[in-house]
Structure formats: C-alpha cells, structure tokens
Amino acid sequence: MAPISLSEHLATQQATQGPHAPGVATIVGRLSRVAAVIARELAHAALRDRLGYVGGINVSGDEVKKLDIWGHEVVEAALRATGACAAFVSEEAKEPIEMATEGANPLVVCCDPVDGSSNLDVNGSVGTIFGIRAADGKTPAASAALGPGTRQLAAGYVMYGPATTLVYTVGHGTHGFTLDQPSGEFRLTYPDIRIPRRGKIYGINEGNAHTWHPGQRAFVEHLKTPDKASGRPYSLRYSGAMVGDVHRTLLDGGLFMYPADWSDPQKPKAKLRLLYEVAPMGMVVEQAGGRASTGLERVLDVVATEYHQRASVILGSPDDVAMADEFYRR
Ligand code: FBP
C-alpha cells in the first residue's frame, strides 16, 4: 500500500490544532503543489535560459537570480489563490505583500522561495523555506509576523535534490514526504522524524572563522580534536544551501551553524534571515527533538522587530547544540 499522501496527513493533523487548522492545511497543501512546479522548472532551467542573474540586488544586498524572482512570483500567486493568506513576507520583496482573504482565521506566510541561490547555476541542492503565523486581526496583517518564533503555527521546507522532499510541522512532531513525480503527490516517507541526540557531522562555512565569537571558534576546534571516547573529530559537510544542510542534520544528527560575524563585538552581524530561514528551521528541528540556538539564546525566543532581520543559528542534535551554548558561555 502506498504511503499516505500529504493532504491525508494534513487532515489527520487538523485535530491537534485550533481554529487556524483548515487555513494551515490549505496553505501547506498549496505550497506543496508549487514545490512540484519549482522542482520541474529547476530540472529544465538550463534548457530554458532560466539560470543566471536578473541584475540588481534584493533587500538583503544579495545579487538576484532569475529563478529567485520566478520562484517568488509562483509562490505569491499560489498564496493569493488560497484566500487564506493575508500577507506574504518574502526574501525577494522589500515590503510584505498584503492579500485579500476569504473566511475566518487568516494567516501570514514568511517564505524564502529559493534558498541556496548560490547553488542554482552549479546544479547544487536548493530549497524553499516557510513559516506560518496567525494574522490575529492585525493591520497591516504582515505585522503579525513580528514577535518571537514561538508564535509560528507551522513551518517547513522543501529540498530540491535528487528527490524532492517536503518536511513540515504544525507543532506535533516533524514529518517528511517525498514527491511522487508521476502523480505530483507528496507521500509520507519520514514519519515523526527524531534527530539523534548527538551526531558526528558539523556544517559551517569555515572561511568565516576569523569573524567568529571566541566561543564559536573554540567549539569548532573542539569538534575537530580527535577523542575516540566522544566520537571526535566530527566530519565537516557543507552544501552551501541551508535546506540541504538542515535536512542532512535532521536525519543524521550533528550540527548546522551559521554564526554571526563578531568582528565588532558591539555589533555582531548575522547573515541568515530570522522570519523565513532561521525561525522556521528552529521549529522544525525542535519538533524533531533537536535544539536551535543563536549561541546566546533559544532561536524561537528571538523577537523579530523587522521583516528582514537576521539571526545567528546553531541547530541540530540537542547534546551538540547544548555543548555549543556552553562554549559561548565560557
Ligand atoms: P539565500 O540563497 O536564500 O540567500 O540563502 C542564504 C544561503 O544561501 C543559505 O542557504 C546558506 O546556508 C548560506 O546562505 C550560504 O552562505 P555562504 O555562501 O556565506 O556560506
């Protein structure tokens, strides 16, 4: 018997949620259908002149790829068509996009339509990341996206790799699905993912080591120091796309880290965006039994005051992240 489909799984999860459950199911369902479209487009991008830059930079100062914009547009159109999304906070739009809704309990979606853009032109793995919150009658609705990540009702990502995998949580465990290309359906292949307490792998851009907090530097040195009893040294794996590194970490354990630049200790500068990268991944990992920290506090307690705010992130196996926090405290 074929594993259950995402839409069937979403239906089973509704009982565990409050009044926003139907809207959350509608939006996750619609994002999964967009993901199938994006997966197809990625597979043919080189044949359709869709690789490369459009010219110009986005609100985060990144050069924008053609697929970044295309990805943003298909996600925006899909969210608008649900009637359940009151606002869309996107990496590719400076200002949030307010939308007309039908029915009660509208939602706000924060999304990185194409994560890992630097991998696009080299056929590396990329992804889509999303976090969903209640609009709570706020005006503008997008302002309901601000506040701590604990306010997220649901979060997840899609990884476009050899297979297309969707992983999501509505606060009752984290579950993974694989796209069955012929039917376009996602089917449950990783039910109730539990991250190992400790891992053997860490993912970080070591090229930034000179900018790290002293605790971060000491922690990575510790991971690289041979010690049979504690399974060190850990191996380094880094895909260059947060989704790819988080997905590996969720299944195999260990750590994904993108710490802030502490060159000026008074003003640490992070890279990854809180609302549509770090907070959604924090919820996904915590619901799988893992931990997500900035080094100084729990990621989901970080209060967003701006839509494109950045945050440092150390996530993965709970014992490994706890150790990192300890090194930051020293
Ligand atoms: P975008 O591609 O969506 O801007 O995401 C940022 C990102 O590509 C992450 O996916 C990845 O973890 C990180 O930046 C890689 O950064 P760097 O090239 O500095 O290591």
Side-chain angles (χ1 to χ4, degrees), residues 60 62 91 110-112 114-117 129-131 152 155-157 242-243 246 256 271-284 299 309-311 313 315:
S60 306
D62 304 329
E91 179 185 357
C110 304
C111 182
D112 180 356
V114 180
D115 169 64
S117 311
I129 308 172
F130 61 90
Q152 294 175 114
Y157 62 82
M242 184 183 199
V243 166
V246 170
F256 166 70
K271 170 173 180 173
L272 300 182
R273 282 50 57 113
L274 180 58
L275 285 183
Y276 42 81
E277 290 173 323
V278 174
M281 290 304 203
M283 185 180 183
V284 166
V299 154
Q309 185 173 326
R310 301 169 188 263
V313 62
L315 60 75

PDB file of all heavy atoms in Angstrom, residues 60 62 91 110-112 114-117 129-131 152 155-157 242-243 246 256 271-284 299 309-311 313 315:
ATOM      1  N   SER A  60      18.299  42.200   0.960  1.00  0.00           N
ATOM      2  CA  SER A  60      19.399  41.715   1.806  1.00  0.00           C
ATOM      3  C   SER A  60      20.753  41.993   1.181  1.00  0.00           C
ATOM      4  O   SER A  60      21.784  41.558   1.686  1.00  0.00           O
ATOM      5  CB  SER A  60      19.244  40.201   2.037  1.00  0.00           C
ATOM      6  OG  SER A  60      17.969  39.905   2.539  1.00  0.00           O
ATOM      7  N   ASP A  62      21.746  40.790  -1.656  1.00  0.00           N
ATOM      8  CA  ASP A  62      22.214  39.672  -2.494  1.00  0.00           C
ATOM      9  C   ASP A  62      21.889  39.949  -3.954  1.00  0.00           C
ATOM     10  O   ASP A  62      20.831  40.505  -4.260  1.00  0.00           O
ATOM     11  CB  ASP A  62      21.496  38.360  -2.111  1.00  0.00           C
ATOM     12  CG  ASP A  62      21.666  38.008  -0.627  1.00  0.00           C
ATOM     13  OD1 ASP A  62      22.720  38.352  -0.068  1.00  0.00           O
ATOM     14  OD2 ASP A  62      20.723  37.446  -0.052  1.00  0.00           O
ATOM     15  N   GLU A  91      11.706  36.862   0.949  1.00  0.00           N
ATOM     16  CA  GLU A  91      13.088  37.324   0.826  1.00  0.00           C
ATOM     17  C   GLU A  91      13.239  38.241  -0.379  1.00  0.00           C
ATOM     18  O   GLU A  91      14.070  39.146  -0.406  1.00  0.00           O
ATOM     19  CB  GLU A  91      14.057  36.152   0.667  1.00  0.00           C
ATOM     20  CG  GLU A  91      15.498  36.630   0.525  1.00  0.00           C
ATOM     21  CD  GLU A  91      16.498  35.521   0.231  1.00  0.00           C
ATOM     22  OE1 GLU A  91      16.101  34.362   0.189  1.00  0.00           O
ATOM     23  OE2 GLU A  91      17.676  35.859   0.050  1.00  0.00           O
ATOM     24  N   CYS A 110       5.682  33.617   5.910  1.00  0.00           N
ATOM     25  CA  CYS A 110       7.033  34.133   5.687  1.00  0.00           C
ATOM     26  C   CYS A 110       7.763  33.057   4.884  1.00  0.00           C
ATOM     27  O   CYS A 110       7.703  31.875   5.255  1.00  0.00           O
ATOM     28  CB  CYS A 110       7.739  34.363   7.016  1.00  0.00           C
ATOM     29  SG  CYS A 110       6.819  35.454   8.121  1.00  0.00           S
ATOM     30  N   CYS A 111       8.410  33.454   3.800  1.00  0.00           N
ATOM     31  CA  CYS A 111       8.952  32.431   2.906  1.00  0.00           C
ATOM     32  C   CYS A 111      10.223  32.867   2.197  1.00  0.00           C
ATOM     33  O   CYS A 111      10.349  34.020   1.769  1.00  0.00           O
ATOM     34  CB  CYS A 111       7.886  32.083   1.866  1.00  0.00           C
ATOM     35  SG  CYS A 111       8.370  30.791   0.706  1.00  0.00           S
ATOM     36  N   ASP A 112      11.168  31.928   2.109  1.00  0.00           N
ATOM     37  CA  ASP A 112      12.326  32.085   1.231  1.00  0.00           C
ATOM     38  C   ASP A 112      12.046  31.175   0.044  1.00  0.00           C
ATOM     39  O   ASP A 112      12.262  29.964   0.120  1.00  0.00           O
ATOM     40  CB  ASP A 112      13.617  31.664   1.958  1.00  0.00           C
ATOM     41  CG  ASP A 112      14.864  31.820   1.080  1.00  0.00           C
ATOM     42  OD1 ASP A 112      14.711  32.174  -0.108  1.00  0.00           O
ATOM     43  OD2 ASP A 112      15.969  31.573   1.588  1.00  0.00           O
ATOM     44  N   VAL A 114      13.389  30.537  -2.899  1.00  0.00           N
ATOM     45  CA  VAL A 114      14.502  29.728  -3.417  1.00  0.00           C
ATOM     46  C   VAL A 114      15.704  29.951  -2.505  1.00  0.00           C
ATOM     47  O   VAL A 114      16.422  30.944  -2.621  1.00  0.00           O
ATOM     48  CB  VAL A 114      14.842  30.075  -4.873  1.00  0.00           C
ATOM     49  CG1 VAL A 114      16.002  29.200  -5.368  1.00  0.00           C
ATOM     50  CG2 VAL A 114      13.629  29.891  -5.780  1.00  0.00           C
ATOM     51  N   ASP A 115      15.898  29.002  -1.583  1.00  0.00           N
ATOM     52  CA  ASP A 115      17.024  29.095  -0.646  1.00  0.00           C
ATOM     53  C   ASP A 115      18.245  28.405  -1.240  1.00  0.00           C
ATOM     54  O   ASP A 115      18.127  27.365  -1.861  1.00  0.00           O
ATOM     55  CB  ASP A 115      16.659  28.406   0.670  1.00  0.00           C
ATOM     56  CG  ASP A 115      17.862  28.234   1.578  1.00  0.00           C
ATOM     57  OD1 ASP A 115      18.428  29.252   2.002  1.00  0.00           O
ATOM     58  OD2 ASP A 115      18.292  27.078   1.767  1.00  0.00           O
ATOM     59  N   GLY A 116      19.413  29.011  -1.044  1.00  0.00           N
ATOM     60  CA  GLY A 116      20.632  28.404  -1.566  1.00  0.00           C
ATOM     61  C   GLY A 116      20.914  28.831  -2.989  1.00  0.00           C
ATOM     62  O   GLY A 116      21.450  28.068  -3.797  1.00  0.00           O
ATOM     63  N   SER A 117      20.573  30.082  -3.288  1.00  0.00           N
ATOM     64  CA  SER A 117      20.689  30.577  -4.672  1.00  0.00           C
ATOM     65  C   SER A 117      22.071  30.370  -5.264  1.00  0.00           C
ATOM     66  O   SER A 117      22.208  30.165  -6.464  1.00  0.00           O
ATOM     67  CB  SER A 117      20.337  32.062  -4.725  1.00  0.00           C
ATOM     68  OG  SER A 117      19.118  32.275  -4.056  1.00  0.00           O
ATOM     69  N   ILE A 129      11.748  27.582   2.019  1.00  0.00           N
ATOM     70  CA  ILE A 129      11.525  27.535   3.460  1.00  0.00           C
ATOM     71  C   ILE A 129      10.293  28.384   3.788  1.00  0.00           C
ATOM     72  O   ILE A 129      10.113  29.445   3.193  1.00  0.00           O
ATOM     73  CB  ILE A 129      12.740  28.091   4.239  1.00  0.00           C
ATOM     74  CG1 ILE A 129      14.042  27.416   3.804  1.00  0.00           C
ATOM     75  CG2 ILE A 129      12.531  27.954   5.746  1.00  0.00           C
ATOM     76  CD1 ILE A 129      15.309  28.053   4.406  1.00  0.00           C
ATOM     77  N   PHE A 130       9.430  27.919   4.713  1.00  0.00           N
ATOM     78  CA  PHE A 130       8.251  28.704   5.064  1.00  0.00           C
ATOM     79  C   PHE A 130       7.919  28.619   6.548  1.00  0.00           C
ATOM     80  O   PHE A 130       8.208  27.601   7.199  1.00  0.00           O
ATOM     81  CB  PHE A 130       7.040  28.272   4.233  1.00  0.00           C
ATOM     82  CG  PHE A 130       6.630  26.837   4.416  1.00  0.00           C
ATOM     83  CD1 PHE A 130       5.716  26.465   5.388  1.00  0.00           C
ATOM     84  CD2 PHE A 130       7.180  25.828   3.607  1.00  0.00           C
ATOM     85  CE1 PHE A 130       5.355  25.124   5.568  1.00  0.00           C
ATOM     86  CE2 PHE A 130       6.824  24.495   3.775  1.00  0.00           C
ATOM     87  CZ  PHE A 130       5.901  24.143   4.758  1.00  0.00           C
ATOM     88  N   GLY A 131       7.349  29.688   7.067  1.00  0.00           N
ATOM     89  CA  GLY A 131       6.838  29.760   8.431  1.00  0.00           C
ATOM     90  C   GLY A 131       5.466  30.408   8.378  1.00  0.00           C
ATOM     91  O   GLY A 131       5.269  31.365   7.610  1.00  0.00           O
ATOM     92  N   GLN A 152       4.843  30.850  15.724  1.00  0.00           N
ATOM     93  CA  GLN A 152       4.596  30.113  14.478  1.00  0.00           C
ATOM     94  C   GLN A 152       3.608  28.970  14.752  1.00  0.00           C
ATOM     95  O   GLN A 152       3.770  28.239  15.721  1.00  0.00           O
ATOM     96  CB  GLN A 152       5.899  29.546  13.911  1.00  0.00           C
ATOM     97  CG  GLN A 152       6.887  30.599  13.443  1.00  0.00           C
ATOM     98  CD  GLN A 152       8.205  29.995  12.994  1.00  0.00           C
ATOM     99  OE1 GLN A 152       8.585  30.043  11.822  1.00  0.00           O
ATOM    100  NE2 GLN A 152       8.933  29.405  13.925  1.00  0.00           N
ATOM    101  N   ALA A 155       5.614  25.294  10.204  1.00  0.00           N
ATOM    102  CA  ALA A 155       6.843  25.652   9.499  1.00  0.00           C
ATOM    103  C   ALA A 155       7.310  24.448   8.702  1.00  0.00           C
ATOM    104  O   ALA A 155       6.890  23.318   8.963  1.00  0.00           O
ATOM    105  CB  ALA A 155       7.921  26.075  10.498  1.00  0.00           C
ATOM    106  N   GLY A 156       8.168  24.705   7.709  1.00  0.00           N
ATOM    107  CA  GLY A 156       8.686  23.591   6.938  1.00  0.00           C
ATOM    108  C   GLY A 156       9.599  24.034   5.823  1.00  0.00           C
ATOM    109  O   GLY A 156       9.915  25.234   5.688  1.00  0.00           O
ATOM    110  N   TYR A 157      10.040  23.053   5.058  1.00  0.00           N
ATOM    111  CA  TYR A 157      10.878  23.348   3.905  1.00  0.00           C
ATOM    112  C   TYR A 157      10.679  22.283   2.838  1.00  0.00           C
ATOM    113  O   TYR A 157      10.183  21.194   3.110  1.00  0.00           O
ATOM    114  CB  TYR A 157      12.357  23.423   4.304  1.00  0.00           C
ATOM    115  CG  TYR A 157      12.947  22.146   4.879  1.00  0.00           C
ATOM    116  CD1 TYR A 157      13.384  21.119   4.051  1.00  0.00           C
ATOM    117  CD2 TYR A 157      13.062  21.963   6.255  1.00  0.00           C
ATOM    118  CE1 TYR A 157      13.926  19.956   4.560  1.00  0.00           C
ATOM    119  CE2 TYR A 157      13.600  20.793   6.794  1.00  0.00           C
ATOM    120  CZ  TYR A 157      14.035  19.792   5.938  1.00  0.00           C
ATOM    121  OH  TYR A 157      14.563  18.625   6.470  1.00  0.00           O
ATOM    122  N   MET A 242      21.114  26.232   3.099  1.00  0.00           N
ATOM    123  CA  MET A 242      20.641  25.899   4.457  1.00  0.00           C
ATOM    124  C   MET A 242      19.741  24.673   4.442  1.00  0.00           C
ATOM    125  O   MET A 242      19.885  23.771   5.272  1.00  0.00           O
ATOM    126  CB  MET A 242      19.886  27.089   5.051  1.00  0.00           C
ATOM    127  CG  MET A 242      19.438  26.871   6.478  1.00  0.00           C
ATOM    128  SD  MET A 242      18.475  28.264   7.097  1.00  0.00           S
ATOM    129  CE  MET A 242      18.610  27.979   8.868  1.00  0.00           C
ATOM    130  N   VAL A 243      18.822  24.595   3.469  1.00  0.00           N
ATOM    131  CA  VAL A 243      17.884  23.466   3.431  1.00  0.00           C
ATOM    132  C   VAL A 243      18.630  22.145   3.334  1.00  0.00           C
ATOM    133  O   VAL A 243      18.326  21.203   4.071  1.00  0.00           O
ATOM    134  CB  VAL A 243      16.884  23.615   2.267  1.00  0.00           C
ATOM    135  CG1 VAL A 243      16.155  22.315   2.012  1.00  0.00           C
ATOM    136  CG2 VAL A 243      15.878  24.705   2.561  1.00  0.00           C
ATOM    137  N   VAL A 246      20.388  21.488   6.728  1.00  0.00           N
ATOM    138  CA  VAL A 246      19.452  21.185   7.820  1.00  0.00           C
ATOM    139  C   VAL A 246      18.821  19.809   7.608  1.00  0.00           C
ATOM    140  O   VAL A 246      18.681  19.028   8.556  1.00  0.00           O
ATOM    141  CB  VAL A 246      18.364  22.271   7.939  1.00  0.00           C
ATOM    142  CG1 VAL A 246      17.261  21.840   8.908  1.00  0.00           C
ATOM    143  CG2 VAL A 246      18.985  23.590   8.380  1.00  0.00           C
ATOM    144  N   PHE A 256      24.188  22.130  12.137  1.00  0.00           N
ATOM    145  CA  PHE A 256      24.353  23.147  11.086  1.00  0.00           C
ATOM    146  C   PHE A 256      24.495  24.471  11.803  1.00  0.00           C
ATOM    147  O   PHE A 256      23.699  24.780  12.712  1.00  0.00           O
ATOM    148  CB  PHE A 256      23.163  23.227  10.126  1.00  0.00           C
ATOM    149  CG  PHE A 256      23.200  24.479   9.274  1.00  0.00           C
ATOM    150  CD1 PHE A 256      24.146  24.636   8.272  1.00  0.00           C
ATOM    151  CD2 PHE A 256      22.314  25.516   9.502  1.00  0.00           C
ATOM    152  CE1 PHE A 256      24.203  25.791   7.500  1.00  0.00           C
ATOM    153  CE2 PHE A 256      22.365  26.694   8.751  1.00  0.00           C
ATOM    154  CZ  PHE A 256      23.318  26.827   7.748  1.00  0.00           C
ATOM    155  N   LYS A 271      23.939  36.613   9.115  1.00  0.00           N
ATOM    156  CA  LYS A 271      23.636  36.576   7.681  1.00  0.00           C
ATOM    157  C   LYS A 271      22.226  36.073   7.407  1.00  0.00           C
ATOM    158  O   LYS A 271      21.467  36.697   6.677  1.00  0.00           O
ATOM    159  CB  LYS A 271      24.629  35.684   6.917  1.00  0.00           C
ATOM    160  CG  LYS A 271      24.164  35.458   5.465  1.00  0.00           C
ATOM    161  CD  LYS A 271      25.133  34.737   4.580  1.00  0.00           C
ATOM    162  CE  LYS A 271      24.534  34.585   3.177  1.00  0.00           C
ATOM    163  NZ  LYS A 271      25.461  34.033   2.189  1.00  0.00           N
ATOM    164  N   LEU A 272      21.864  34.937   7.997  1.00  0.00           N
ATOM    165  CA  LEU A 272      20.587  34.316   7.639  1.00  0.00           C
ATOM    166  C   LEU A 272      19.416  35.082   8.233  1.00  0.00           C
ATOM    167  O   LEU A 272      19.544  35.714   9.277  1.00  0.00           O
ATOM    168  CB  LEU A 272      20.574  32.851   8.071  1.00  0.00           C
ATOM    169  CG  LEU A 272      21.679  31.997   7.424  1.00  0.00           C
ATOM    170  CD1 LEU A 272      21.550  30.553   7.877  1.00  0.00           C
ATOM    171  CD2 LEU A 272      21.650  32.089   5.905  1.00  0.00           C
ATOM    172  N   ARG A 273      18.242  35.034   7.530  1.00  0.00           N
ATOM    173  CA  ARG A 273      17.100  35.857   7.919  1.00  0.00           C
ATOM    174  C   ARG A 273      16.210  35.129   8.911  1.00  0.00           C
ATOM    175  O   ARG A 273      15.888  33.958   8.713  1.00  0.00           O
ATOM    176  CB  ARG A 273      16.289  36.266   6.682  1.00  0.00           C
ATOM    177  CG  ARG A 273      16.850  37.409   5.839  1.00  0.00           C
ATOM    178  CD  ARG A 273      18.281  37.357   5.421  1.00  0.00           C
ATOM    179  NE  ARG A 273      18.610  36.182   4.675  1.00  0.00           N
ATOM    180  CZ  ARG A 273      18.963  36.198   3.374  1.00  0.00           C
ATOM    181  NH1 ARG A 273      18.954  37.319   2.716  1.00  0.00           N
ATOM    182  NH2 ARG A 273      19.299  35.098   2.767  1.00  0.00           N
ATOM    183  N   LEU A 274      15.792  35.835   9.942  1.00  0.00           N
ATOM    184  CA  LEU A 274      15.046  35.232  11.058  1.00  0.00           C
ATOM    185  C   LEU A 274      13.683  34.691  10.633  1.00  0.00           C
ATOM    186  O   LEU A 274      13.350  33.535  10.879  1.00  0.00           O
ATOM    187  CB  LEU A 274      14.881  36.260  12.179  1.00  0.00           C
ATOM    188  CG  LEU A 274      14.134  35.819  13.426  1.00  0.00           C
ATOM    189  CD1 LEU A 274      14.782  34.611  14.087  1.00  0.00           C
ATOM    190  CD2 LEU A 274      14.021  36.988  14.417  1.00  0.00           C
ATOM    191  N   LEU A 275      12.851  35.508   9.970  1.00  0.00           N
ATOM    192  CA  LEU A 275      11.449  35.141   9.730  1.00  0.00           C
ATOM    193  C   LEU A 275      11.277  34.026   8.706  1.00  0.00           C
ATOM    194  O   LEU A 275      10.352  33.225   8.808  1.00  0.00           O
ATOM    195  CB  LEU A 275      10.651  36.369   9.279  1.00  0.00           C
ATOM    196  CG  LEU A 275      10.315  37.374  10.359  1.00  0.00           C
ATOM    197  CD1 LEU A 275       9.466  38.504   9.764  1.00  0.00           C
ATOM    198  CD2 LEU A 275       9.561  36.719  11.504  1.00  0.00           C
ATOM    199  N   TYR A 276      12.165  33.949   7.692  1.00  0.00           N
ATOM    200  CA  TYR A 276      11.925  32.968   6.638  1.00  0.00           C
ATOM    201  C   TYR A 276      13.080  31.997   6.426  1.00  0.00           C
ATOM    202  O   TYR A 276      13.099  31.273   5.437  1.00  0.00           O
ATOM    203  CB  TYR A 276      11.535  33.658   5.321  1.00  0.00           C
ATOM    204  CG  TYR A 276      12.329  34.886   4.963  1.00  0.00           C
ATOM    205  CD1 TYR A 276      13.573  34.780   4.372  1.00  0.00           C
ATOM    206  CD2 TYR A 276      11.833  36.159   5.211  1.00  0.00           C
ATOM    207  CE1 TYR A 276      14.306  35.897   4.038  1.00  0.00           C
ATOM    208  CE2 TYR A 276      12.550  37.300   4.877  1.00  0.00           C
ATOM    209  CZ  TYR A 276      13.791  37.150   4.274  1.00  0.00           C
ATOM    210  OH  TYR A 276      14.529  38.262   3.940  1.00  0.00           O
ATOM    211  N   GLU A 277      14.018  31.978   7.347  1.00  0.00           N
ATOM    212  CA  GLU A 277      15.068  30.947   7.339  1.00  0.00           C
ATOM    213  C   GLU A 277      15.243  30.358   8.755  1.00  0.00           C
ATOM    214  O   GLU A 277      14.928  29.205   9.002  1.00  0.00           O
ATOM    215  CB  GLU A 277      16.393  31.505   6.805  1.00  0.00           C
ATOM    216  CG  GLU A 277      16.349  31.814   5.307  1.00  0.00           C
ATOM    217  CD  GLU A 277      17.595  32.522   4.782  1.00  0.00           C
ATOM    218  OE1 GLU A 277      18.160  33.384   5.501  1.00  0.00           O
ATOM    219  OE2 GLU A 277      18.006  32.219   3.642  1.00  0.00           O
ATOM    220  N   VAL A 278      15.672  31.183   9.692  1.00  0.00           N
ATOM    221  CA  VAL A 278      16.115  30.669  10.991  1.00  0.00           C
ATOM    222  C   VAL A 278      14.948  30.209  11.881  1.00  0.00           C
ATOM    223  O   VAL A 278      14.982  29.105  12.423  1.00  0.00           O
ATOM    224  CB  VAL A 278      16.984  31.732  11.708  1.00  0.00           C
ATOM    225  CG1 VAL A 278      17.342  31.290  13.119  1.00  0.00           C
ATOM    226  CG2 VAL A 278      18.258  32.012  10.903  1.00  0.00           C
ATOM    227  N   ALA A 279      13.899  31.038  12.018  1.00  0.00           N
ATOM    228  CA  ALA A 279      12.789  30.662  12.904  1.00  0.00           C
ATOM    229  C   ALA A 279      12.032  29.426  12.394  1.00  0.00           C
ATOM    230  O   ALA A 279      11.769  28.497  13.178  1.00  0.00           O
ATOM    231  CB  ALA A 279      11.836  31.840  13.093  1.00  0.00           C
ATOM    232  N   PRO A 280      11.694  29.352  11.082  1.00  0.00           N
ATOM    233  CA  PRO A 280      11.023  28.119  10.626  1.00  0.00           C
ATOM    234  C   PRO A 280      11.866  26.867  10.866  1.00  0.00           C
ATOM    235  O   PRO A 280      11.364  25.845  11.342  1.00  0.00           O
ATOM    236  CB  PRO A 280      10.819  28.383   9.127  1.00  0.00           C
ATOM    237  CG  PRO A 280      10.791  29.875   8.994  1.00  0.00           C
ATOM    238  CD  PRO A 280      11.762  30.371  10.024  1.00  0.00           C
ATOM    239  N   MET A 281      13.176  26.964  10.576  1.00  0.00           N
ATOM    240  CA  MET A 281      14.041  25.790  10.769  1.00  0.00           C
ATOM    241  C   MET A 281      14.159  25.463  12.268  1.00  0.00           C
ATOM    242  O   MET A 281      14.259  24.299  12.653  1.00  0.00           O
ATOM    243  CB  MET A 281      15.417  26.040  10.159  1.00  0.00           C
ATOM    244  CG  MET A 281      15.411  26.080   8.642  1.00  0.00           C
ATOM    245  SD  MET A 281      14.708  24.590   7.909  1.00  0.00           S
ATOM    246  CE  MET A 281      15.466  24.612   6.269  1.00  0.00           C
ATOM    247  N   GLY A 282      14.120  26.498  13.101  1.00  0.00           N
ATOM    248  CA  GLY A 282      14.157  26.274  14.553  1.00  0.00           C
ATOM    249  C   GLY A 282      12.973  25.431  15.010  1.00  0.00           C
ATOM    250  O   GLY A 282      13.127  24.485  15.791  1.00  0.00           O
ATOM    251  N   MET A 283      11.772  25.748  14.475  1.00  0.00           N
ATOM    252  CA  MET A 283      10.569  24.995  14.874  1.00  0.00           C
ATOM    253  C   MET A 283      10.636  23.564  14.355  1.00  0.00           C
ATOM    254  O   MET A 283      10.351  22.612  15.083  1.00  0.00           O
ATOM    255  CB  MET A 283       9.311  25.681  14.350  1.00  0.00           C
ATOM    256  CG  MET A 283       8.031  25.032  14.810  1.00  0.00           C
ATOM    257  SD  MET A 283       6.561  25.876  14.179  1.00  0.00           S
ATOM    258  CE  MET A 283       5.261  24.932  14.975  1.00  0.00           C
ATOM    259  N   VAL A 284      11.049  23.389  13.099  1.00  0.00           N
ATOM    260  CA  VAL A 284      11.148  22.048  12.502  1.00  0.00           C
ATOM    261  C   VAL A 284      12.101  21.163  13.325  1.00  0.00           C
ATOM    262  O   VAL A 284      11.795  20.018  13.643  1.00  0.00           O
ATOM    263  CB  VAL A 284      11.638  22.149  11.042  1.00  0.00           C
ATOM    264  CG1 VAL A 284      12.087  20.789  10.516  1.00  0.00           C
ATOM    265  CG2 VAL A 284      10.552  22.722  10.150  1.00  0.00           C
ATOM    266  N   VAL A 299      16.584  30.120  19.620  1.00  0.00           N
ATOM    267  CA  VAL A 299      16.168  30.823  18.384  1.00  0.00           C
ATOM    268  C   VAL A 299      14.697  31.229  18.443  1.00  0.00           C
ATOM    269  O   VAL A 299      14.340  32.350  18.064  1.00  0.00           O
ATOM    270  CB  VAL A 299      16.436  29.911  17.162  1.00  0.00           C
ATOM    271  CG1 VAL A 299      15.514  30.237  16.011  1.00  0.00           C
ATOM    272  CG2 VAL A 299      17.879  30.003  16.714  1.00  0.00           C
ATOM    273  N   GLN A 309      15.026  40.930   9.352  1.00  0.00           N
ATOM    274  CA  GLN A 309      16.007  40.850  10.433  1.00  0.00           C
ATOM    275  C   GLN A 309      16.840  39.582  10.284  1.00  0.00           C
ATOM    276  O   GLN A 309      16.328  38.567   9.801  1.00  0.00           O
ATOM    277  CB  GLN A 309      15.237  40.825  11.753  1.00  0.00           C
ATOM    278  CG  GLN A 309      16.031  40.859  13.022  1.00  0.00           C
ATOM    279  CD  GLN A 309      15.078  41.003  14.212  1.00  0.00           C
ATOM    280  OE1 GLN A 309      14.031  41.663  14.105  1.00  0.00           O
ATOM    281  NE2 GLN A 309      15.436  40.408  15.336  1.00  0.00           N
ATOM    282  N   ARG A 310      18.117  39.640  10.685  1.00  0.00           N
ATOM    283  CA  ARG A 310      18.998  38.469  10.571  1.00  0.00           C
ATOM    284  C   ARG A 310      19.250  37.874  11.962  1.00  0.00           C
ATOM    285  O   ARG A 310      19.104  38.575  12.977  1.00  0.00           O
ATOM    286  CB  ARG A 310      20.314  38.879   9.929  1.00  0.00           C
ATOM    287  CG  ARG A 310      20.138  39.478   8.527  1.00  0.00           C
ATOM    288  CD  ARG A 310      21.411  40.101   8.041  1.00  0.00           C
ATOM    289  NE  ARG A 310      21.243  40.843   6.806  1.00  0.00           N
ATOM    290  CZ  ARG A 310      21.512  40.342   5.593  1.00  0.00           C
ATOM    291  NH1 ARG A 310      21.927  39.102   5.467  1.00  0.00           N
ATOM    292  NH2 ARG A 310      21.375  41.081   4.511  1.00  0.00           N
ATOM    293  N   ALA A 311      19.626  36.624  11.988  1.00  0.00           N
ATOM    294  CA  ALA A 311      19.920  35.985  13.271  1.00  0.00           C
ATOM    295  C   ALA A 311      20.984  34.913  13.094  1.00  0.00           C
ATOM    296  O   ALA A 311      21.043  34.247  12.053  1.00  0.00           O
ATOM    297  CB  ALA A 311      18.654  35.349  13.848  1.00  0.00           C
ATOM    298  N   VAL A 313      22.606  31.250  13.946  1.00  0.00           N
ATOM    299  CA  VAL A 313      21.928  29.981  14.208  1.00  0.00           C
ATOM    300  C   VAL A 313      22.908  28.830  14.390  1.00  0.00           C
ATOM    301  O   VAL A 313      23.889  28.708  13.635  1.00  0.00           O
ATOM    302  CB  VAL A 313      20.896  29.639  13.106  1.00  0.00           C
ATOM    303  CG1 VAL A 313      21.563  29.461  11.740  1.00  0.00           C
ATOM    304  CG2 VAL A 313      20.065  28.418  13.496  1.00  0.00           C
ATOM    305  N   LEU A 315      22.027  24.838  15.085  1.00  0.00           N
ATOM    306  CA  LEU A 315      20.908  23.915  15.288  1.00  0.00           C
ATOM    307  C   LEU A 315      21.324  22.479  15.032  1.00  0.00           C
ATOM    308  O   LEU A 315      22.329  22.228  14.357  1.00  0.00           O
ATOM    309  CB  LEU A 315      19.706  24.307  14.435  1.00  0.00           C
ATOM    310  CG  LEU A 315      19.846  24.353  12.916  1.00  0.00           C
ATOM    311  CD1 LEU A 315      19.868  22.969  12.286  1.00  0.00           C
ATOM    312  CD2 LEU A 315      18.694  25.142  12.311  1.00  0.00           C
TER     313      LEU A 315
END
